[in-house]
Amino acid sequence: MAAPRRATLATLPSPADFAPPPDTATRRRWREADRASRPDRVRRLRERMADEGVDAYFGVRTEHMRWLTGLVMAEGEEKVAGHSGQFLVGAGDLVVMTDSRYTEQARREATESTVKEIGYDLAHAWPTLAARVGARRIGVEAAAVSHALWRRLEVAAPEVELVPADGWIEAMRGVKEPGEVERIAAACAVADRALAALLPEIRVGITEHELALRLEWLMRTAGAESLAFNVACLAGPEAALPHGSPGDRPVLRDAVLLFDFGAQLEGYRSDMTRTLFVGEPSARDLELYDLVARAQQASIDTIRASVAEATSGVPLLTGRTADAAARDVIGEAGLGDRFGHGTGHGIGLATHENPPSLSRTAADEPLCSPSVFSVEPGVYLPGETGVRIEDLIHLDAGRGVVERLTAFPREVLALPA
Amino acid sequence: MAAPRRATLATLPSPADFAPPPDTATRRRWREADRASRPDRVRRLRERMADEGVDAYFGVRTEHMRWLTGLVMAEGEEKVAGHSGQFLVGAGDLVVMTDSRYTEQARREATESTVKEIGYDLAHAWPTLAARVGARRIGVEAAAVSHALWRRLEVAAPEVELVPADGWIEAMRGVKEPGEVERIAAACAVADRALAALLPEIRVGITEHELALRLEWLMRTAGAESLAFNVACLAGPEAALPHGSPGDRPVLRDAVLLFDFGAQLEGYRSDMTRTLFVGEPSARDLELYDLVARAQQASIDTIRASVAEATSGVPLLTGRTADAAARDVIGEAGLGDRFGHGTGHGIGLATHENPPSLSRTAADEPLCSPSVFSVEPGVYLPGETGVRIEDLIHLDAGRGVVERLTAFPREVLALPA
């Protein structure tokens, strides 16, 4: 095994190594770009509706709502928002539903939509809404709408047929506009800077919870409007939990310290995992680190090779192929069963998007482009240790681009205990 | 109009006025109480299953998962967790499903359950799972399970009938155990202390966003493991948005400043709204404040009167009656159409629970007891101002208790500008 590259204290990353948060003018430009794009997004959805033979589309996902209408609903808000923000797209109209709590906000943000205050009982309003957009056959986000609501709508307007319409907007959102990629990159930079700023505070004995809270604070006071997801900070054997939560466990000497975290900026998310060392890494941990780093590089190299070929007309690789490239490296080391999750997921207004998906069960079709996705192989030894390395990759086959948006170094970083 | 009571600077609340966060022994006692209660919770669910004629119950809500099995999943985690944590209760078995990312955690936390790693495809595993618990008819959380998943399960095991089973566990959870009330009260105290600590930092010009972040930080570094929901801090006319989000808007002189916020502690939530003043309150704002305070008091008084009667065998009042008591006061002032939302909601492991519900559409049955719920009337004048006052009430009819768990003063609080 080749010794992994290793940072010295003198070469520790510093916040100034990474791009600063966007200024007000940049943020305004992004919002204007969205406003300019929304009519085309709705037009393309209507094309899909026509192709699928439905007269209308009923959507409930908050990311779709934001992308199509401009209405912003914070993560989790949908749990108390009732039907507010849910929307119905007809051939000539886009109606955003609200109850009185959200009407004012919707009028302000969803400026190109018709805001209709329907209260708390969608089924009651459903026949009128369907008639308003002239719909006899409505595509419905069946993977997000509850079975109970689906049944209530069927009963409320038996003459209106409901058709599952999952993945339509997801497919459109998988292909990123330039302003979307810029915002993901800006969110990545916020996270890069925050981890760099945290490094001097990491020491044996401080708890996972303290570090997670501090990292969150560093992101949210320097450009992030919120987190992309709860910060994972896992020390030593805890790193074997691919979705563990930080606890009152102290950072251990000569063991791994795994951070999986992301920022949200103007709605767009970042996602990065770094497995650091505090004290002297063990030979076993270094070996795992090297293995995971090689697996990640193998996937990225495979993607890069495919993009090079794509310029001469060869179709882009599938998410299964990109997954297999990483998985094979770990499998060859005899640790295939210690890498249970997929290699990567799309990201944007949601932290996990599909397409694209890099996994054994991904669609058997070329990765979409331009797109942004994670590449994050890991190896987990329960009760012992875990290593994951995750970066976000921006793929733009048309321009021959395969670039890392997460800029924080990936080399072995051993901090003083 | 009687002048509302008014705090002076000398009588401003201070963090020391409220209970300190629980110590480790108290937290351990709560966890032990849960462990001791879980078998009985499952037993009562099985009784309901028998009454409803189903052999098994398929649950997906994370609060139900935690309450029945002990498995903890942070807010939002369910979006990326696939089927992990979803559970199937049979007559003699409680199976928690996982994929490899969550298996280790589930084994650790859901100690009385059978953890079954099924991967990412529940439909594939469904026939075997149904056979394992011997189920031909399964109650399903139809209001939480997507229509798409419901259809996949029907197709995977056509011989197994799926039956909507909404509200069964909600009804059980509406009645609170002593340890649950204690945790809600502890979360309330964390929030009380945090707002008291924030008061000296409030001044004209500081932004809603800065105050919201600071209030969050005060809760999360002094007892709260997370927020119950995103902090609302709304200045002046923004307070007219009942579910608005803090922005880069500055605190205004001589106007309202509304905080709606809650802590989460050992899973249990608090929820409180205070409408403060910075500078000199206008006569109009004071009038609204007095109106809303009287509406809230009318609802609480009505509940208290009903509890007194209940000791002599009269059924407890309904949530509609408790709602009407507040609504009538605002209606009599000619502002009924400025109070669009319900008067209150249950709270516990979820921020919004039902039952109990205090609203025009609440179930026509007595409030459950012992229970905890908010009483939060509000009046909103779009573009001008808004006032809401929200407290959590602990109702225990059997012990004649109607007590406020949120202890932060409700009198008019005018801070120096």
Side-chain angles (χ1 to χ4, degrees):
Chain A
M1 176 194 97
R5 269 183 65 204
R6 187 130 165 208
T8 66
L9 274 189
T11 62
L12 273 191
S14 124
D17 299 346
F18 309 99
D23 59 18
T24 307
T26 304
R27 290 174 183 260
R28 195 179 306 120
R29 178 169 60 74
W30 287 329
R31 289 176 197 182
E32 286 308 315
D34 277 338
R35 192 187 310 273
S37 288
R38 282 199 290 265
D40 189 57
R41 296 172 187 168
V42 175
R43 184 190 58 71
R44 285 184 287 138
L45 175 59
R46 289 190 172 123
E47 279 179 11
R48 178 75 186 256
M49 286 158 49
D51 290 348
E52 304 273 355
V54 303
D55 323 300
Y57 179 100
F58 172 50
V60 301
R61 293 189 189 271
T62 52
E63 314 92 67
H64 294 175
M65 175 197 313
R66 180 171 187 154
W67 195 72
L68 283 177
T69 74
L71 176 61
V72 174
M73 200 167 275
E75 187 101 32
E77 178 78 13
E78 75 281 1
K79 290 195 183 177
V80 301
H83 299 289
S84 290
Q86 300 182 350
F87 59 94
L88 190 64
V89 182
D93 205 0
L94 199 173
V95 179
V96 172
M97 275 82 89
T98 62
D99 59 60
S100 68
R101 301 170 299 165
Y102 292 92
T103 304
E104 170 92 0
Q105 182 198 348
R107 290 209 177 108
R108 190 189 291 183
E109 295 175 359
T111 44
E112 309 107 50
S113 303
T114 305
V115 175
K116 187 125 188 59
E117 191 174 294
I118 60 153
Y120 297 86
D121 187 353
L122 176 60
H124 179 75
W126 189 246
T128 312
L129 286 166
R132 179 196 176 105
V133 298
R136 309 290 297 182
R137 199 157 184 267
I138 302 185
V140 178
E141 293 177 2
V145 163
S146 74
H147 178 68
L149 178 59
W150 181 287
R151 283 295 299 143
R152 279 204 300 278
L153 299 183
E154 277 184 336
V155 169
E159 73 284 5
V160 176
E161 187 188 357
L162 307 182
V163 184
D166 293 304
W168 299 5
I169 299 181
E170 284 84 346
M172 294 163 62
R173 284 179 42 221
V175 178
K176 295 290 186 288
E177 301 168 4
E180 296 186 283
V181 177
E182 286 177 35
R183 276 172 282 189
I184 299 170
C188 288
V190 166
D192 288 335
R193 290 173 76 94
L195 184 57
L198 184 71
L199 293 180
E201 303 181 27
I202 297 174
R203 59 182 187 282
V204 169
I206 192 170
T207 68
E208 295 170 353
H209 177 72
E210 287 167 325
L211 286 175
L213 195 56
R214 184 72 188 134
L215 184 57
E216 174 175 346
W217 187 250
L218 287 164
M219 289 189 275
R220 292 181 57 198
T221 54
E225 70 234 7
S226 66
L227 299 181
F229 54 94
N230 289 334
V231 171
C233 170
L234 302 168
E238 290 299 309
L241 299 178
H243 272 257
S245 298
D248 287 330
R249 292 170 292 259
V251 168
L252 304 171
R253 183 183 302 272
D254 304 341
V256 297
L257 180 64
L258 184 151
F259 291 95
D260 187 352
F261 66 111
Q264 181 184 321
L265 192 150
E266 298 287 332
Y268 286 81
R269 317 294 181 97
S270 77
D271 192 353
M272 177 167 78
T273 305
R274 286 295 180 266
T275 306
L276 311 178
F277 297 91
V278 181
E280 190 55 36
S282 71
R284 192 261 328 259
D285 282 350
L286 283 177
E287 200 171 334
L288 288 181
Y289 195 95
D290 178 65
L291 177 66
V292 172
R294 285 190 290 113
Q296 193 204 35
Q297 195 57 51
S299 182
I300 296 170
D301 287 347
T302 302
I303 294 163
R304 210 180 289 280
S306 171
V307 167
E309 282 186 3
T311 55
S312 46
V314 180
L316 263 186
L317 81 174
T318 68
R320 292 189 200 184
T321 303
D323 174 82
R327 198 167 300 282
D328 287 351
V329 172
I330 293 171
E332 281 158 21
L335 290 167
D337 59 340
R338 303 306 194 179
F339 173 30
H341 58 76
T343 295
H345 56 84
I347 189 166
L349 285 171
T351 303
H352 282 204
E353 298 186 354
N354 178 4
S357 167
L358 284 62
S359 75
R360 287 165 287 188
T361 57
D364 195 15
E365 59 188 25
L367 287 176
C368 48
S369 169
S371 60
V372 179
F373 49 82
S374 70
V375 179
E376 50 172 315
V379 171
Y380 311 96
L381 307 184
E384 296 182 51
T385 191
V387 172
R388 181 168 64 256
I389 306 172
E390 173 182 24
D391 286 279
L392 292 193
I393 300 295
H394 169 217
L395 162 71
D396 186 345
R399 292 173 47 236
V401 169
V402 178
E403 65 176 346
R404 200 184 292 267
L405 298 182
T406 36
F408 195 94
R410 286 181 309 150
E411 58 204 348
V412 169
L413 211 66
L415 302 164
Chain B
M1 178 194 95
R5 269 184 64 204
R6 186 127 167 213
T8 66
L9 273 189
T11 62
L12 273 190
S14 123
D17 299 346
F18 309 99
D23 58 18
T24 308
T26 303
R27 290 174 183 261
R28 195 179 305 122
R29 178 169 60 75
W30 287 330
R31 289 177 197 181
E32 285 308 315
D34 276 339
R35 193 188 309 275
S37 288
R38 283 199 290 265
D40 190 57
R41 296 172 186 167
V42 175
R43 183 189 60 70
R44 284 184 286 138
L45 175 59
R46 288 191 173 123
E47 280 178 11
R48 177 75 186 255
M49 286 158 49
D51 289 348
E52 303 273 357
V54 304
D55 323 301
Y57 179 100
F58 173 50
V60 302
R61 292 190 189 271
T62 52
E63 314 91 69
H64 294 175
M65 176 197 316
R66 180 171 187 156
W67 195 71
L68 284 177
T69 75
L71 177 61
V72 175
M73 200 168 275
E75 188 102 32
E77 178 78 14
E78 76 281 0
K79 289 197 183 172
V80 300
H83 299 289
S84 290
Q86 300 183 349
F87 59 94
L88 190 64
V89 182
D93 205 0
L94 199 174
V95 179
V96 173
M97 275 81 90
T98 62
D99 59 58
S100 68
R101 300 171 300 164
Y102 292 91
T103 304
E104 170 92 1
Q105 182 198 348
R107 290 210 177 109
R108 191 189 290 181
E109 296 176 358
T111 45
E112 309 106 52
S113 303
T114 305
V115 175
K116 188 127 187 56
E117 191 174 296
I118 61 153
Y120 298 86
D121 187 354
L122 176 59
H124 180 74
W126 188 245
T128 311
L129 286 166
R132 179 197 177 104
V133 298
R136 310 290 298 182
R137 199 155 182 270
I138 302 184
V140 178
E141 293 177 1
V145 163
S146 74
H147 178 69
L149 178 59
W150 181 287
R151 283 294 299 142
R152 277 203 302 278
L153 299 183
E154 278 184 335
V155 169
E159 72 284 5
V160 176
E161 188 189 355
L162 307 182
V163 184
D166 294 303
W168 300 5
I169 299 181
E170 283 85 347
M172 294 164 61
R173 283 179 43 221
V175 178
K176 295 289 187 285
E177 301 169 5
E180 296 187 283
V181 177
E182 287 178 33
R183 276 171 282 190
I184 298 170
C188 287
V190 166
D192 287 334
R193 289 173 76 94
L195 184 57
L198 185 71
L199 293 179
E201 303 181 26
I202 298 174
R203 58 180 188 280
V204 169
I206 193 169
T207 68
E208 296 169 350
H209 177 73
E210 287 167 323
L211 286 175
L213 195 56
R214 182 72 188 133
L215 184 57
E216 174 175 345
W217 186 250
L218 286 165
M219 288 189 275
R220 292 181 58 199
T221 54
E225 71 235 5
S226 65
L227 298 181
F229 54 95
N230 288 336
V231 171
C233 170
L234 302 167
E238 290 299 310
L241 299 177
H243 273 257
S245 297
D248 287 331
R249 293 171 291 260
V251 168
L252 303 171
R253 183 183 302 271
D254 304 341
V256 297
L257 180 63
L258 184 150
F259 290 95
D260 187 352
F261 66 111
Q264 182 184 319
L265 191 150
E266 298 287 330
Y268 286 81
R269 318 294 181 97
S270 77
D271 191 353
M272 178 167 78
T273 305
R274 286 296 180 267
T275 306
L276 312 178
F277 298 91
V278 181
E280 191 54 36
S282 71
R284 191 263 326 261
D285 283 349
L286 283 177
E287 199 171 335
L288 288 181
Y289 195 95
D290 179 65
L291 176 66
V292 171
R294 285 191 290 112
Q296 193 204 35
Q297 195 57 51
S299 182
I300 295 171
D301 288 346
T302 302
I303 295 164
R304 209 180 289 278
S306 171
V307 167
E309 283 185 0
T311 56
S312 47
V314 180
L316 263 186
L317 82 173
T318 68
R320 293 188 199 182
T321 304
D323 174 81
R327 198 168 300 282
D328 287 351
V329 172
I330 294 171
E332 281 157 21
L335 290 168
D337 60 339
R338 302 306 193 180
F339 173 29
H341 57 77
T343 295
H345 56 84
I347 188 166
L349 285 171
T351 302
H352 282 204
E353 298 186 356
N354 177 5
S357 167
L358 283 63
S359 76
R360 286 166 287 189
T361 58
D364 194 14
E365 59 188 23
L367 287 177
C368 47
S369 169
S371 60
V372 179
F373 49 83
S374 69
V375 179
E376 50 172 316
V379 170
Y380 311 95
L381 306 184
E384 296 182 52
T385 191
V387 172
R388 182 168 63 255
I389 305 173
E390 173 182 25
D391 286 280
L392 292 194
I393 300 295
H394 169 216
L395 163 71
D396 186 345
R399 291 173 48 234
V401 169
V402 177
E403 65 176 347
R404 202 183 291 268
L405 298 183
T406 36
F408 195 95
R410 286 180 309 150
E411 58 205 346
V412 169
L413 210 66
L415 302 165

